[in-house]
Each structure stands twice: as C-alpha cells, then as structure tokens.
Amino acid sequence: MLEKIQKSLNSIPEIKAWNIRHEKINGSQQYDLEKSTEAFRQVSSEQYTVDVLCDSLDGEGKPSSGVGAVSILPGGEINQALRQAVLTAQLVHNEPYDFPEPASLPNVELADQEYIKDPAGSIKKILVSLKEQTVSYPHVRLTAAECFGQEKTTHLVSSKGIDAHQNATEIYLQWVYLAGEGEDEVETFAEIYQRRIADLNLEEEAARRAQYTSDLLLAEGSPSQTGPVFVQGGSLATMVAGEVLSGSLIQTLSSGAMKYSGETPWEIGKSIFRSDVKGDSFNLWANRQLPYGMQSNTFDAEGIPAQRIRLILDNKLEAFIADQRFASYLDIPATGEFGNIELSAGKTPTKELTKDPHIEIAEFSWFNPNPITGDFACEIRLGYVVDGEDRKPFKGGLLLGNLLDALADITWSSETGFYSNYLGPSAARFNHLQIAG
Amino acid sequence: MKNNNLKPEMNQLRPLLGDVVATLESKAPYGAVVLTSRETVRYLVDNNQERVIVGDPTAGAILTTFDGHTMNEKAIGGFDKNELLQGVKDLIKNSSFTKNGSIDPGLERKHDYQTKMEQDPAQVPTGDKLEYLREMNRRVNKIDSRIVNARITLLEYREKSIFRNRAADISQDVQRVHMSILVTVMGDKGVVFDWDSKCGTAGLEVLTFSDEELEVIVKNAIKLLEADRIEPGEYTVVTAGGVSGVICHESFGHGVETDMFLKERAKAANYIDRRVGSELVNIYDDPSMPGAFGSYFFDDEGVTAGSTQIVKDGIFKRGLTDLYSATMLNIPRSPNGRRQDFSRKVYPRMSNTFFGSGDTPLEDLISQVENGIYLPKTSSGMEDPKGWGIQVTCHYGFEIKGGKMTDKMFAAIGLTGYVPDVLSSVSAVSSDFHLSGGHCGKGTKEIVPVTDGGPHLLMKVRLG
C-alpha cells in the first residue's frame, strides 16, 4: 500500500513535497480490581498518514505554501483522499517553505525487548509484581490497578528522500492505595508512563506510595507561610517538565512558532527570568535523544532527526525549538520536536537542602501553571512541615507563585534522577514560595 | 438504513454483526460488537499562520464478551471482514468464561440516529471555512492595536458508530463543532491572554460571535496586564455557569463515576441518600440535551441517552454507570458507558453535567454580596473523589462591592474547598443557565467530549 500511495503522490504535479508515516500499533491492556480482573483487552491498528505541501497564491496574489493532511486505513481509497489533501493544501496560505531534507539519524533506544517478547505476559507480570510489593505494606490496600503496553512501529518516507524506521514501546501503570477505615479512609493514586518495564521502579514507587498513603491518614490542615519549599522526584519533574502527555511552560516559551507570532518575550542571549537570579544557575537541554525518554524518538513527524539542544545556559536562552517551517521563517536551524527536559545537576547534596526547617510538597492535586505567564495556585495533596527530625504531614492549602520566578530562586540537588520526560536533579529547594492554608 | 451517513465499509459489515454476536454468545453469556469511526479536523487561523490539521482517525471494530465477572475485548483497527471474523475466533479461543447468569441486553431496538444540522461541516467547502476564520481574525485585530495575536480555531469532530447486541441494532452519526478565539496581548509585565468559545453537537450554525462578544475578550485580555493577585482567604463568591459547572464536574461528576465505587475511591459511595449540599443544590447528567457538546443518542454500550439526577435538593441519589460497574454493584444502568475511541475500554463517564437552575434573578443574587468576588471563567479543575477536596483554577475574577460588580480584576485565582462545605454554602441559585464544552480525561487519559455548567451560584469558598 505504501508504494501505491507513493506512486499516486508522484503523479500529482501540484504537490511540491510530501511525506507518509505508516504506523502500526499492537497493545495489550489489563484492568484489575482488588480481588478480580475487570477486563483484558488486545488492540491492533494500522494507518498511513500523508502530508502534502503545495505552493499557491494567496488572496493578495503573493506566493504561499500550505499543507494538507489525510489518514488512510489499509485498503482505503487512496486517490480521493490525496485529492482532498491537495485541495486543502492549496487553500491554506502561509509564507513559502519546504519539507526537511534527509539527514543522518541517531540511534535512540526506544523499545523494551522484555515487553516485546511477551506483551500480555509482561503486563500480567507487572500487576502481579505490584501486588507482591504491596504485601510488604500491610497498612495499605491495593484496590485497583491498570496496566497498558504498546509497541508502535513507524516507517516514514518523504519526497525529499527520507526513508526511516523506528520502533518504540510504552508502558502505562496506574494504581490506587487505600489506608484507614470508614470516613477516615484515604487514598493515593499513582500514574506512571515509561518506555521500559524496568524504569517503572516498582519496588521504590510502591514503598513511596505506601508511605504517602499512611501519612495522609495523619495529615492535618495546611499551614500558611512563606519560605523554603522542598520538592523531589516525580513532583519536581512535573513542575519543570510538565505532565508527560502535555507540554511545559519552558516548551511553550522557547517555541519558534511562539517567537514568530510575538507571543513569547524570550530572546536569544537574554535571561529567561524576569527577575534577578538568586539561586543556582539554570542550564537546560531539550533532549529527544534521551534513552527511553517518553518524548524521545529517532525522528519526529516531519522526519527531523532527534537532537539534544542546549536551550538555556547560565539562565540565558541559547536557541528556539522549531520545526522546519518556523526554522525557515526565523532563519534558524530546525530542531524538530522539543523532546524531554534535561537539567544539569546542582552542587548541593539533598541532605544539605533539607537541613533547615522547611515545607516539603510530596504531591499536588494538579500542578498546572498558566501556560504563558507561569502563574500558579495549586492545591497541595500531601505535604510535610519539616524541622530537623520532626516531620508533620499536612494536606490541602495552595502553593502560590510564578514558575519562572520560582526557578530563579532555587537550589538544585547534586543527585539526579530520570522521570519519564525529565532527567536532572532529583530534588530542589525553592527558596521563597508562599503557601496559603 | 441506506441514508444513515455511516461509512460505506461500516454499512457493508453491518449485516454480519448479528451472526458475530451469536457466535460470541455461543461461548459467553453476553456478547456485543461496535463499529466506530471518529475523525477530527482542526482549522486554525492566526496573525501569522494558517493550518488545517487532520487528527489521527480512530476507526475499528470492538468485540466484547462479558460473563458477569470479567470483560474480554478485542479491538481491531479498520473494517476488514476477514480480520473481524478472525478476531471473533481469537477472542473466543483465548478467553475463559464463567457462566454467571444473564446480562440484560436492554430492550429490542433498531434505529439510525443523526445530529440535526443546518450547516453540516462536511457540506461546507474548506475554503469557506478558512475564509470565515480569516474574517473573524480580522474582526478581532481591528479592536485594539495592542493585540499580538488572535488565534481562531475551529474543531470538527465526527463520530459514527454501530452498536449490535442480541437486542439492539442501532447506529449514530454525531457531529460536534467547537470554535475558540484566543487573544494574546503584550505589556510591560509580559504576555497575557483571554479567550471565549462556542460549541455544540450541531452544525456550523452555532459558531457565531457578535462584535460585543469579541470586544469583551479583548478588553479582558488587556485588563489582565494590570490584574492584581488576590489575598488568599475565604470569600463570598458568585460563580458564572462555566465555573459552577466545573465545581459540579469535579465534585459530583468524577466522584460518582461508579468505577470509582468499585475501586473504593469514591467517598460518595457512603453518602447515598445523605445530604451533601444545601437544599438548593440539584445536579444532573444528561447526554440527551439537544445540541450540547457532550450529547449523544446512545452510549458506547448501546444504552439510550437520558437524564440522570445525581443530587436532588442537596441529597446524593445515585452515580453514573457503565455495564460493568452496574452489574457488579447491582444498580440500574445510566447512559454513561463511554470510551475515548476503539482502542480504549469503556468507563462510566460524564456527558453534560450541570447544576439545576433556581429562581433568583442574577441581579438579585449579586446584590446580596457586600464584599465578594465574581468568577466568570475557569481554566481547569481537578477532582479528589476520596478526599472530597476540590481545585478549580479561574482565569480571573472581579471584585463585587456593595452589591455591585466593579472593574477591579484579580488573576489567576485558585478555588479550593471541601466539597460538602462548598455545596452546603450555596445560598442562592440564579434562574439563568449556561453550558461550557470541552474535553475531559480520567487521570491523564481517556479523553471524551463533555460539557458542564449551570446557573450562577452564590457560595463561600477559599480563594488564593
């Protein structure tokens, strides 16, 4: 079918450039309750997505380029779909540009061979292992768990000569722990995306979640104070890199498309912060080459090879992230998709970060800053008031501030960790944040 | 069934589906098959670019067996007859079944449903749609020179499905449309934005904006440049319909999806027939609301759409179910079994979830507030079904002073509280009604179109 689509595309003279992505997905899913299995599912799909680029004249007679896209299922009608894509492309008017040329592709590790060997068996094993881990924590009950796995193969070909393959796996695991009884019962909800089973870190995660759950039973109301706030692990990763399936503030503000539209105030060579930097200096890479990173790939949807872009050095912006089109408009190198966030390690051991009295935030209800300004007011699901060995859990209350201001006054840990779409310091102390109880 | 607007390949497979169900039920107590196709197209015009983005289509067949204990499903991409028949064999061969009584397939029914539209997007040329968006972009940009960008987005979402079990042979062709206008302005403090949107299960006819509506977006975006931060504390607030809706969505929406009962995640499970709010609080879920963005004719398990009253006069009455949770909990079905697409499982999900209106005119409701905040718009919300905490982020709010609205704006505002405290504090409910449409996930996945809304509410909450 791929050859048929290529042949049809090559026979349409109006097309300036095209690419085809042939994607196949095979998935296995299992949904468990405390004492039974709710559902087993097997999923398979296959499709061809075609982008065509056409040049035309806009309403004022100026040269323009536009893309039309169409997805075709195996055995689907090709010519009619391509005609629709061409028609759309000719109606969309943007400044002229072209599709990317072929380039050498890095070798990025994306697929878990352990999962591929036995998908349904692997999913079952993960859930069994979670149950076995939970036995070590008799104060909590595992009342639900869902595990999905999928293998996705992509073959991209383009009129420019790109012919590339990649194979990637994704593992998703969520579970619920309960503790306590009756009206006082509490829960924690865990949700992890990884490419490899090994990166689920089940033993460590189960222990941490079990501890959180029992601490929630003892949690009191939130204090109101302004001062140092310590955050670590996945919660820190979410603050910096955003949720796995959505973007981050840094991703938005470093976007070439946003620069072109004048919607980001960031400028190359200038500090990304609106205030003086009082804490550690901020160094960040947009890294699509991170082994098994959830946002890693060998090539993106346009076929641009994975790169590790030095985005921010010593608080100053070094580059914008741009696809081929906006790179062409801004006259900068095309980086392709953003990828994962990688931060340089700090210089301070975690122990040192926590030696003075502070608030620790273990979990937010949802850390969702304004996607452009970075302002946030987020509910704290579990936190601790820490003073030496004294560690009092609390829940509720809001963490208030602005993410950029917060990152400008932060001390990073020297220890590092990998959390789905983030590689960097595993802990940090925000030196001055407000908590409203 | 020839003019049902379904894909030809779906109609070609339809005559086989009765036999497919019979084969599944030769081994399992219950079998069903769904053919489904979901397609999205997003049109975008802003000051610097135009795009037409075709979303990845999800199309395929779902074979389901259920024995009262465990569901087994095979989801097969596309509509190939041989793959479908092989899937039936594989599903039966690889699954074990416990006969656990009979599963009610519902009443005998046969019908083809279609969204009523004046302007079917499929019949409007792409060029006309783009020109409409360009004109909207020009109208917005004319309003103020401080506008950096005006992003106009039109989303078309078409869902076609056939559901077949031993009692039902039904199909639906549901057209959803959504248009948003996002205006960005830049000032000394940086970049800020405001937006408005309209949507419906309808044709393009519902996506019109008056000049006054566009001016309000621009005015509020500019006002955000000078907005103050609110002092954290407890406030008397008046929530507009969209904010009221997010409160009910996060409190007695997610928290009463009855898979949460089975997972023991829902505090509400212990509150059936108990008071959870003031007598003024009535909460409904209704996928049969004509034209609402979360509406459908039947859910993904073939149950005909209809209204479910969740909270009546402040008393929690019942939750929202799918086949599995209703069977396991031995409670009546509601039409809320929904899946993101063919690759995903069904869960009990909301559709159009809202507070019932009261009888207080809005002006009377505002006049009751000596010092308070008017909250017209949310940007997000998060549920906590076990702890009954609630987090709603409001894009901005206006001060109410001496029973009158003022121009003083605060942004951004986080609204939090303990659900029964928040709902018990509702002291007046306006007579108006507004639904806001969007998409909702369960955790970070399982995205489905929904609306939430209701009237203006007067209540006490914590803001920060």
Side-chain angles (χ1 to χ4, degrees):
Chain A
M1 180 133 176
L2 187 65
E3 290 74 22
K4 276 189 193 169
I5 297 173
Q6 282 181 262
K7 199 173 166 190
S8 294
L9 285 164
N10 287 330
S11 71
I12 304 173
E14 293 87 351
I15 296 176
K16 176 181 179 182
W18 53 258
N19 67 40
I20 310 168
R21 288 184 305 282
H22 177 204
E23 294 175 336
K24 284 194 214 177
I25 295 175
N26 280 296
S28 197
Q29 306 167 1
Q30 184 172 332
Y31 305 77
D32 281 0
L33 295 171
E34 185 171 12
K35 290 175 182 152
S36 61
T37 293
E38 176 183 347
F40 296 102
R41 303 190 82 241
Q42 298 298 321
V43 180
S44 59
S45 67
E46 181 176 1
Q47 69 181 38
Y48 300 82
T49 305
V50 184
D51 296 326
V52 301
L53 180 70
C54 296
D55 282 348
S56 61
L57 298 177
D58 70 11
E60 295 170 2
K62 291 182 197 159
S64 74
S65 295
V67 167
V70 68
S71 289
I72 308 169
L73 296 171
E77 212 287 320
I78 296 172
N79 289 325
Q80 191 186 333
L82 296 183
R83 274 197 299 276
Q84 180 59 42
V86 169
L87 179 65
T88 300
Q90 290 175 323
L91 292 167
V92 173
H93 302 305
N94 292 298
E95 277 186 53
Y97 66 102
D98 209 343
F99 278 180
E101 298 288 336
S104 68
L105 297 173
N107 181 23
V108 183
E109 293 164 298
L110 302 168
D112 184 356
Q113 297 308 320
E114 184 191 345
Y115 169 79
I116 289 171
K117 266 187 240 159
D118 178 12
S122 298
I123 296 304
K124 192 174 177 181
K125 261 192 216 167
I126 291 167
L127 291 170
V128 168
S129 173
L130 178 62
K131 281 179 185 160
E132 287 170 355
Q133 297 293 337
T134 305
V135 171
S136 308
Y137 310 102
H139 57 283
V140 300
R141 288 192 294 130
L142 176 69
T143 60
E146 294 182 4
C147 191
F148 303 174
Q150 75 166 34
E151 180 184 5
K152 178 177 177 182
T153 60
T154 307
H155 180 195
L156 186 146
V157 291
S158 81
S159 59
K160 298 286 182 184
I162 299 173
D163 188 343
H165 292 263
Q166 69 184 8
N167 190 33
T169 54
E170 287 182 22
I171 311 292
Y172 169 83
L173 176 65
Q174 66 157 249
W175 76 90
V176 178
Y177 274 157
L178 293 189
E181 287 178 2
E183 291 282 314
D184 296 327
E185 205 169 56
V186 295
E187 71 152 8
T188 56
F189 174 72
E191 199 170 35
I192 308 174
Y193 292 87
Q194 290 289 4
R195 290 205 181 276
R196 276 197 309 186
I197 295 168
D199 291 327
L200 294 173
N201 289 329
L202 264 187
E203 190 176 342
E204 189 184 314
E205 281 296 321
R208 192 167 65 86
R209 291 281 160 185
Q211 182 67 50
Y212 284 178
T213 314
S214 55
D215 288 345
L216 263 177
L217 272 177
L218 306 171
E220 296 178 350
S222 168
S224 289
Q225 65 181 73
T226 299
V229 172
F230 175 78
V231 188
Q232 62 181 326
S235 295
L236 176 64
T238 301
M239 286 183 81
V240 180
E243 302 277 358
V244 172
L245 299 184
S246 55
S248 64
L249 179 69
I250 290 164
Q251 187 172 342
T252 304
L253 294 177
S254 64
S255 150
M258 293 288 280
K259 184 65 188 169
Y260 185 70
S261 64
E263 292 173 278
T264 173
W266 286 11
E267 290 180 43
I268 300 282
K270 298 225 169 131
S271 174
I272 64 159
F273 299 119
R274 57 188 189 179
S275 52
D276 292 340
V277 177
K278 295 177 190 159
D280 288 350
S281 120
F282 195 58
N283 300 292
L284 184 147
W285 289 261
N287 187 354
R288 255 197 302 145
Q289 297 181 340
L290 183 65
Y292 303 109
M294 279 303 294
Q295 305 299 341
S296 295
N297 50 36
T298 307
F299 52 87
D300 67 8
E302 286 190 297
I304 297 175
Q307 299 173 46
R308 180 175 179 263
I309 305 291
R310 194 169 71 185
L311 196 69
I312 298 162
L313 178 67
D314 198 16
N315 312 314
K316 295 188 182 80
L317 187 71
E318 293 263 302
F320 280 102
I321 300 299
D323 61 13
Q324 186 65 39
R325 176 173 157 212
F326 286 101
S328 160
Y329 293 171
L330 295 169
D331 198 20
I332 58 175
T335 63
E337 292 167 2
F338 187 96
N340 311 280
I341 276 186
E342 179 187 341
L343 288 184
S344 60
K347 291 175 184 159
T348 312
T350 301
K351 229 175 184 177
E352 188 74 15
L353 292 177
T354 55
K355 73 173 188 188
D356 294 325
H358 62 274
I359 296 286
E360 176 178 343
I361 296 177
E363 285 206 308
F364 295 100
S365 293
W366 185 19
F367 187 78
N368 61 327
N370 181 298
I372 290 183
T373 65
D375 290 341
F376 59 79
C378 299
E379 190 190 40
I380 300 163
R381 184 108 351 144
L382 174 65
Y384 299 91
V385 179
V386 185
D387 188 352
E389 293 300 309
D390 194 19
R391 192 173 162 81
K392 288 182 187 154
F394 70 90
K395 61 184 173 186
L398 294 167
L399 183 73
L400 306 171
N402 176 279
L403 185 57
L404 289 175
D405 293 348
L407 291 171
D409 189 5
I410 193 169
T411 309
W412 298 101
S413 72
S414 51
E415 299 89 343
T416 60
F418 167 52
Y419 307 94
S420 300
N421 59 346
Y422 169 96
L423 174 69
S426 53
R429 187 185 63 219
F430 294 90
N431 295 318
H432 193 78
L433 279 179
Q434 185 185 2
I435 288 167
Chain B
M1 292 193 184
K2 284 185 180 163
N3 297 318
N4 56 17
N5 247 353
L6 299 176
K7 286 177 170 288
E9 51 270 45
M10 294 169 79
N11 276 328
Q12 280 163 18
L13 283 182
R14 192 170 187 176
L16 294 176
L17 302 183
D19 288 343
V20 165
V21 172
T23 309
L24 295 172
E25 293 194 337
S26 68
K27 298 283 183 189
Y30 178 80
V33 57
V34 177
L35 305 182
T36 174
S37 158
R38 299 184 185 192
E39 295 176 352
T40 58
V41 187
R42 189 183 298 270
Y43 304 82
L44 182 152
V45 171
D46 70 18
N47 291 15
N48 304 287
Q49 64 167 323
E50 299 181 354
R51 295 183 75 181
V52 178
I53 305 158
V54 178
D56 284 344
T58 60
I62 306 147
L63 302 165
T64 303
T65 58
F66 184 36
D67 64 0
H69 286 293
T70 301
M71 282 203 170
N72 279 283
E73 286 197 333
K74 191 160 181 70
I76 307 155
F79 301 113
D80 183 85
K81 178 183 165 186
N82 293 329
E83 285 193 28
L84 177 73
L85 297 178
Q86 184 59 47
V88 174
K89 285 182 193 166
D90 292 346
L91 182 60
I92 289 173
K93 188 176 143 200
N94 297 325
S95 309
S96 58
F97 301 102
T98 309
K99 293 276 182 185
N100 187 40
S102 60
I103 310 296
D104 180 11
L107 297 172
E108 289 281 335
R109 55 210 187 278
K110 191 166 187 163
H111 200 88
D112 291 338
Y113 301 92
Q114 285 178 39
T115 300
K116 284 184 183 155
M117 293 177 269
E118 289 171 27
Q119 277 186 286
D120 182 349
Q123 305 302 322
V124 177
T126 300
D128 290 1
K129 292 174 197 168
L130 284 167
E131 195 46 52
Y132 182 63
L133 300 192
R134 288 175 191 132
E135 176 56 22
M136 192 77 78
N137 172 270
R138 285 191 285 266
R139 284 172 65 199
V140 174
N141 276 297
K142 266 190 215 160
I143 295 171
D144 196 288
S145 59
R146 283 168 288 185
I147 293 171
V148 176
N149 201 2
R151 181 167 294 128
I152 321 295
T153 309
L154 161 66
L155 174 68
E156 297 171 4
Y157 181 109
R158 193 118 190 184
E159 176 184 340
K160 302 180 180 200
S161 60
I162 298 172
F163 176 85
R164 187 81 165 93
N165 67 11
R166 92 182 83 103
D169 178 3
I170 47 181
S171 80
Q172 63 184 343
D173 171 19
V174 178
Q175 175 69 59
R176 295 188 174 90
V177 292
H178 186 285
M179 180 179 273
S180 66
I181 297 171
L182 188 144
V183 177
T184 310
V185 297
M186 193 180 281
D188 294 341
K189 288 184 184 172
V191 179
V192 293
F193 63 92
D194 195 23
W195 75 93
D196 196 2
S197 64
K198 293 194 177 177
C199 60
T201 299
L204 299 173
E205 67 276 3
V206 299
L207 304 179
T208 58
F209 286 83
S210 68
D211 288 342
E212 290 73 25
E213 287 170 319
L214 300 182
E215 280 162 14
V216 168
I217 307 171
V218 176
K219 185 180 139 200
N220 284 331
I222 290 167
K223 211 162 176 45
L224 274 165
L225 288 168
E226 303 301 330
D228 289 330
R229 280 230 163 214
I230 199 161
E231 187 64 32
E234 188 172 85
Y235 286 83
T236 299
V237 301
V238 174
T239 57
V243 182
S244 306
V246 174
I247 291 171
C248 79
H249 179 103
E250 305 299 352
S251 59
F252 277 85
H254 280 298
V256 299
E257 293 168 337
T258 49
D259 62 315
M260 298 293 211
F261 288 27
L262 290 170
K263 293 167 183 168
E264 300 179 52
R265 295 193 63 197
K267 197 163 193 148
N270 303 320
Y271 276 75
I272 293 171
D273 290 329
R274 289 173 65 184
R275 180 161 295 284
V276 293
S278 84
E279 287 183 356
L280 298 171
V281 173
N282 288 284
I283 297 177
Y284 304 82
D285 185 89
D286 185 359
S288 67
M289 284 190 88
F293 191 65
S295 292
Y296 40 84
F297 299 100
F298 56 86
D299 72 5
D300 290 321
E301 295 176 313
V303 178
T304 305
S307 178
T308 303
Q309 184 155 13
I310 300 166
V311 176
K312 186 176 183 190
D313 303 331
I315 309 290
F316 172 51
K317 301 309 289 183
R318 60 159 300 171
L320 306 174
T321 63
D322 62 358
L323 174 60
Y324 185 83
S325 62
T327 304
M328 302 310 281
L329 294 165
N330 196 24
I331 56 177
R333 279 298 314 271
S334 65
N336 297 92
R338 303 183 73 186
R339 60 175 96 233
Q340 175 179 294
D341 56 51
F342 88 100
S343 71
R344 300 303 191 128
K345 168 187 170 293
V346 162
Y347 292 85
R349 302 300 303 275
M350 285 171 271
S351 59
N352 306 301
T353 315
F354 51 89
F355 283 102
S357 295
D359 52 14
T360 308
L362 177 58
E363 310 78 62
D364 292 359
L365 193 143
I366 297 218
S367 71
Q368 295 177 37
V369 182
E370 187 53 37
N371 286 295
I373 302 292
Y374 178 68
L375 298 171
K377 186 177 283 185
T378 62
S379 45
S380 63
M382 180 50 83
E383 79 278 17
D384 176 14
K386 193 71 177 175
W388 264 355
I390 189 166
Q391 175 185 322
V392 177
T393 306
C394 298
H395 197 49
Y396 48 79
F398 291 99
E399 185 180 49
I400 306 174
K401 202 89 182 163
K404 294 199 183 315
M405 292 275 299
T406 74
D407 266 355
K408 188 170 175 54
M409 181 190 264
F410 299 97
I413 299 176
L415 180 160
T416 58
Y418 180 62
V419 166
D421 292 348
V422 171
L423 297 186
S424 296
S425 78
V426 173
S427 56
V429 178
S430 74
S431 50
D432 59 350
F433 185 83
H434 173 77
L435 284 177
S436 296
H439 290 82
C440 164
K442 211 167 171 72
T444 55
K445 58 187 186 64
E446 315 301 340
I447 309 299
V448 294
V450 296
T451 68
D452 44 50
H456 285 78
L457 303 176
L458 176 62
M459 62 172 83
K460 280 198 163 65
V461 293
R462 182 159 189 78
L463 302 180

